[in-house]
Amino acid sequence: ATHPSDPYAVDTLAAAYANKGEFAEAIYLQREAIRKLEAWARSRPVSPHAMDRFLARIRLYRDDKPARFDASTAERECNTFLE
């Protein structure tokens, strides 16, 4: 299957799979998100915190845990990407 080129979209897709308990697919997608974010960083500004967040999520998925966010966490995440 073809996945979006936007690493943040792939990251979100990975989170959705993890939320459904499909951790193998979530890990695969999160690796893709990391690869795409690395590629993006070569041609445009990317928050230094973005990769930390992507790596933290793949660690959760490897432990069979979803990445869930409440409203304040989601706001912090969005602000981190805008830095």
Side-chain angles (χ1 to χ4, degrees):
T2 302
H3 303 293
S5 61
D6 181 328
Y8 302 102
V10 179
D11 174 65
T12 301
L13 186 58
Y17 274 95
N19 194 50
K20 290 177 34 178
E22 296 182 29
F23 295 104
E25 185 67 13
I27 291 166
Y28 169 79
L29 288 167
Q30 196 65 25
R31 282 187 190 130
E32 283 293 304
I34 290 166
R35 185 184 63 74
K36 290 172 189 282
L37 187 64
E38 289 169 339
W40 266 37
R42 289 190 288 273
S43 63
R44 67 191 82 192
V46 172
S47 166
H49 303 289
M51 185 59 75
D52 293 340
R53 303 286 191 221
F54 279 34
L55 293 170
R57 283 192 272 281
I58 201 168
R59 286 191 295 273
L60 285 172
Y61 306 156
R62 287 180 178 145
D63 289 338
D64 293 340
K65 295 178 183 174
R68 295 201 174 127
F69 307 100
D70 60 25
S72 64
T73 305
E75 183 177 354
R76 272 195 315 275
E77 285 276 312
C78 289
N79 290 336
T80 296
F81 292 131
L82 296 174
E83 292 175 356

